[in-house]
Amino acid sequence: MVRIRTLARPAGGSATAQANRRRQLVFFGVLAVSMLASLGYVFQRPALYLATARWQFVFPESNGAAEPASSAGASTAFLTELQVVTSRPMLEKLSAALGAGGASPGSHPGADSVDVLQRSIDVRPLPGTTIVEVRAVGPRPAPLPQAINTLFDLYRRQLDERYQERSGDDHVKARAEADALAAKVAQQRSAINAFRQRHAIVSGERDENEVLAQYKGQSTAFNTANDKRVAAEARLQALREATASGRVSQRARENPALQQLEQRYAQARDEMRTLERSYTEAYMTLDPNAKALRARVASLEEQLGQARQAAQQAALAEAEIDASAARAATAQLSGQMSSARRGVQDFSARMAEHRSMQEDLDRLEKLRGAAETRATALEAGSRRIAPSVVVLEPAATPQQPWQPDYQRDAVVAVAGSIAAAVLALGVLALLHRPDPPPLAVLMPPPAWDEIDTRPWVQQRSLGPARAGFALGPAPSPPVGLIPLNPLPRELDDGEITALLDAAAPAMRAVLVALLCGLQDDEVMALDRCDLDPASPALRLADRQVPLTEPLLAQFLTAPSPDADAPDDAPLLTDPRGQRLGSTEIDASVVFAAHDAGLARAFEVTPASLRHTFVAHLVRQGARFADLARWTGKIALADLTPYGSIAPATPKRSADQIDPLLPALRRWV
């Protein structure tokens, strides 16, 4: 009997308590210091208040109509007015109006009030509009709306004064400009009319002028004549080729005389063929009608050849006349277009000049119209061209600080302090490594006389000196180290045979499956289709488990659904006909071990049966890489201990390994 003893360090409980107290001290100490520093920084910053107002600028056009907001938002006049609002002269007037900086929103002793106002007041335009947001920032909330409202009054007063001074003689200058532009428009219009009469320009459209219309007609006629010339020459060439090859063209065939002669010839040939089918050659030689018919056919054939030749020559002569006429017409039109092309070029140049003069006139007309509108608006009232500003949202006294956000920053500070405390614990864990875990030592078995066989109650009454093996220390020093999770129990051939003999007949198939390397979940998942009686074998998803005839009989006699059950019905079932569970499998193994009278029957488990199969493969010298083909996937942590039982001989290939346990092969 082997005893396992754990070697542990003394005073483990006190060391753990001391380490916990050290961790608590470091965590709460770092947390307190970090929170004190960060929260102190957060709440010692001064509060800043923000007051806002919204103004809208209205910029009329020079013609008296209001400028669109989209263009006014980016116009030069709008941007210029924004610069005027925040200019130093305007802020100097504001500082004086507020009492020489006494009521300035961001003033402090010894500071320039204008510089303080420049840092405190900001004007921001809203994109795409003529609306601006005026912002004032300062440590005191009360002066902020007063500063914004005073600035509005000062700017509007200055705007009225500036445009009142500027608009004194603006309408006179605008009227003079409009009259000068009207004179230029009249002069340009007279020049355009004279230019039209001199160069015979009827309209600005090209097709409405005589020269261009005539040239366009000539061009169309030339294209038509050229197409006819090409077609006539093609017909002439085709007739020449037909004449040279002895063929009759289609045009020659259309001759009425030739068509009539061909019809007579065809009729005579039909009559001749009729006689040849009815009479012999000798009779036709003696018959005068037949002889006359043959002479008429020969005469018609000769006449037909002459007529075809004459028609072909006539068609050829006609085609030559057509081609010659088409060439003459094309040459005549080409000459006319050449003489007219120079006139068209000159006229096109005059048209371009006329178009340029017309564009100049259009520009002058637009300028004159704008000047007339501006002059009329100025004459009606100079106040209508001045920009105006209105308050959309007046400034109000802020009730809450704008910056900083104490609540948000406090939450960030607390979170950062907790993170710093956790980081300190991590550093502490790196600096103070824990003690190594206890080791299991292999102790030699005690002598028989050292074992106290008295009941535990008597041992307890005798004191610790006679407590025996269970309570006393190891009698000798350790002789070696073993892992805390040793391999399961391995059964020999006799134990396997006794186990199968003692097992219930309904559960022997479960033991056989476990001894063939199946895991609990694989046994529970077996279906009727997984059993192959022809091999015989069990077919799993990743491997095939060979069986013998006696082992196959155990699966065939095991409780299972009736023969009409589907292929996916469970192969192994409990007495109720349900699929086996892990509890039934464990119970069947334990019951069989106790009924077989095996020593330490409580050590016989499904894991020990699978271990017996794996150990059988390893002891034969199977390669670890090949184990998966018989056992399925094995975790690396479960496979490592088998290195201690592997033989030192060279590894064997898979086909040299017997995957079936000898006890299973011999068992009947």
Side-chain angles (χ1 to χ4, degrees):
M1 181 177 180
V2 178
R3 294 186 298 171
I4 299 176
R5 183 182 177 188
T6 301
L7 300 179
R9 301 182 185 273
S14 61
T16 303
Q18 184 179 1
N20 290 335
R21 286 194 298 271
R22 183 170 55 249
R23 293 189 188 96
Q24 293 175 4
L25 180 61
V26 171
F27 178 81
F28 289 107
V30 173
L31 180 62
V33 173
S34 179
M35 289 182 62
L36 182 62
S38 57
L39 292 177
Y41 169 75
V42 169
F43 289 103
Q44 62 87 23
R45 293 178 297 171
L48 293 178
Y49 294 87
L50 173 66
T52 60
R54 290 195 176 186
W55 304 347
Q56 183 180 15
F57 288 82
V58 180
F59 291 88
E61 285 280 11
S62 58
N63 59 1
E67 187 178 359
S70 58
S71 60
S75 65
T76 304
F78 178 59
L79 298 177
T80 301
E81 295 302 325
L82 295 185
Q83 296 299 322
V84 172
V85 173
T86 57
S87 62
R88 188 173 183 84
M90 181 62 64
L91 295 181
E92 288 178 351
K93 295 181 180 179
L94 177 61
S95 177
L98 293 176
S104 179
S107 62
H108 56 275
D112 186 4
S113 58
V114 179
D115 293 338
V116 172
L117 289 174
Q118 286 182 337
R119 292 192 301 268
S120 302
I121 297 178
D122 184 23
V123 178
R124 299 182 180 182
L126 300 182
T129 65
T130 57
I131 300 175
V132 297
E133 184 181 44
V134 184
R135 301 157 57 99
V137 180
R140 294 178 297 168
L144 299 179
Q146 181 183 359
I148 295 177
N149 297 331
T150 305
L151 178 63
F152 175 77
D153 295 336
L154 294 175
Y155 171 73
R156 185 170 58 178
R157 189 181 304 118
Q158 180 182 352
L159 185 65
D160 295 340
E161 295 174 355
R162 177 156 39 99
Y163 274 88
Q164 186 176 4
E165 295 175 357
R166 184 186 303 174
S167 61
D169 56 346
D170 284 350
H171 62 281
V172 178
K173 296 179 180 179
R175 175 52 60 188
E177 181 181 359
D179 294 341
L181 288 173
K184 289 183 179 180
V185 167
Q187 182 180 359
Q188 182 70 11
R189 187 176 288 110
S190 300
I192 290 175
N193 293 332
F195 186 83
R196 285 181 176 178
Q197 295 178 0
R198 185 165 59 252
H199 296 285
I201 298 177
V202 178
S203 172
E205 300 294 334
R206 296 177 59 88
D207 296 339
E208 296 179 1
N209 294 280
E210 181 181 359
V211 175
L212 297 179
Q214 183 179 2
Y215 181 77
K216 183 177 180 181
Q218 291 177 351
S219 178
T220 303
F222 174 77
N223 293 334
T224 303
N226 192 42
D227 293 341
K228 291 181 178 179
R229 178 187 63 81
V230 172
E233 290 179 350
R235 287 195 300 271
L236 177 61
Q237 182 66 24
L239 288 173
R240 287 176 178 175
E241 292 176 356
T243 303
S245 61
R247 293 181 289 105
V248 179
S249 64
Q250 181 65 28
R251 191 168 183 177
R253 292 176 184 272
E254 295 175 356
N255 190 338
L258 180 61
Q259 292 177 356
Q260 184 178 6
L261 188 60
E262 286 179 348
Q263 186 177 3
R264 291 172 56 196
Y265 174 74
Q267 184 177 2
R269 288 288 299 170
D270 292 341
E271 293 176 359
M272 188 68 188
R273 289 192 188 96
T274 302
L275 291 176
E276 288 176 352
R277 286 193 300 269
S278 302
Y279 303 101
T280 62
E281 183 66 25
Y283 177 80
M284 292 181 65
T285 304
L286 299 176
D287 185 32
N289 294 329
K291 293 171 60 177
L293 182 59
R294 283 186 173 179
R296 186 158 57 90
V297 169
S299 175
L300 288 173
E301 185 176 0
E302 182 179 0
Q303 294 177 11
L304 182 61
Q306 295 176 355
R308 286 176 177 175
Q309 185 176 4
Q312 186 74 8
Q313 293 297 328
L316 182 61
E318 184 180 356
E320 288 180 350
I321 294 173
D322 293 343
S324 177
R327 293 192 197 98
T330 303
Q332 182 179 1
L333 289 174
S334 177
Q336 293 177 358
M337 289 183 63
S338 298
S339 60
R341 189 175 292 113
R342 290 187 295 272
V344 171
Q345 292 175 352
D346 294 340
F347 187 80
S348 297
R350 303 289 82 76
M351 282 291 295
E353 187 176 355
H354 174 266
R355 189 179 298 107
S356 177
M357 296 174 66
Q358 187 64 40
E359 291 175 355
D360 292 341
L361 178 61
D362 294 339
R363 284 194 294 270
L364 289 175
E365 287 283 359
K366 291 181 180 180
L367 292 175
R368 184 190 64 81
E372 285 286 348
T373 304
R374 182 169 179 270
T376 303
L378 288 174
E379 290 174 356
S382 59
R383 294 287 299 172
R384 296 181 58 185
I385 65 172
S388 61
V389 57
V390 295
V391 177
L392 298 180
E393 181 182 340
T397 303
Q399 303 298 326
Q400 298 294 333
W402 172 58
Q403 285 183 349
D405 190 345
Y406 293 109
Q407 184 177 1
R408 180 201 61 194
D409 295 346
V411 172
V412 173
V414 172
S417 300
I418 296 175
V422 174
L423 180 61
L425 286 182
V427 174
L428 181 64
L430 291 176
L431 297 178
H432 295 80
R433 303 237 173 189
D435 294 336
L439 300 176
V441 297
L442 184 65
M443 305 297 293
W448 181 260
D449 54 359
E450 295 179 358
I451 299 177
D452 193 351
T453 59
R454 292 176 299 170
W456 179 79
V457 178
Q458 298 177 3
Q459 296 178 21
R460 183 177 181 185
S461 62
L462 294 176
R466 297 290 296 171
F469 169 68
L471 299 178
S476 60
V479 297
L481 298 178
I482 63 173
L484 287 176
N485 51 345
L487 291 171
R489 176 177 173 176
E490 181 180 357
L491 304 181
D492 56 20
D493 292 348
E495 292 175 330
I496 294 174
T497 303
L499 188 69
L500 292 175
D501 291 338
M507 291 298 174
R508 284 176 183 168
V510 176
L511 302 182
V512 170
L514 295 173
L515 289 170
C516 289
L518 274 70
Q519 300 183 18
D520 296 1
D521 54 352
E522 293 178 333
V523 175
M524 292 185 290
L526 286 175
D527 295 332
R528 290 173 58 89
C529 60
D530 296 332
L531 183 63
D532 185 8
S535 299
L538 286 174
R539 294 177 298 182
L540 302 181
D542 55 351
R543 64 190 188 278
Q544 186 168 347
V545 179
L547 301 173
T548 62
E549 292 296 336
L551 300 180
L552 176 64
Q554 301 302 321
F555 286 96
L556 295 177
T557 58
S560 61
D562 57 89
D564 297 333
D567 292 341
D568 58 353
L571 180 62
L572 303 176
T573 61
D574 57 12
R576 298 175 300 174
Q578 302 295 326
R579 190 182 294 272
L580 287 177
S582 59
T583 304
E584 289 83 359
I585 295 176
D586 294 341
S588 64
V589 175
V590 173
F591 293 163
H594 281 282
D595 294 341
L598 300 183
R600 303 188 310 278
F602 60 87
E603 297 179 358
V604 181
T605 61
S608 64
L609 300 186
R610 175 177 166 82
H611 162 64
T612 301
F613 175 75
V614 178
H616 165 67
L617 300 176
V618 173
R619 294 185 192 280
Q620 294 185 68
R623 298 173 65 249
F624 279 26
D626 295 335
L627 291 179
R629 66 183 299 175
W630 298 297
T631 64
K633 294 182 180 179
I634 303 179
L636 181 60
D638 297 336
L639 189 61
T640 302
Y642 287 99
S644 60
I645 65 174
T649 58
K651 301 299 181 183
R652 303 170 65 187
S653 60
D655 55 357
Q656 296 175 338
I657 302 299
D658 184 7
L660 201 60
L661 288 169
L664 293 179
R665 191 175 295 278
R666 294 191 299 266
W667 180 77
V668 178

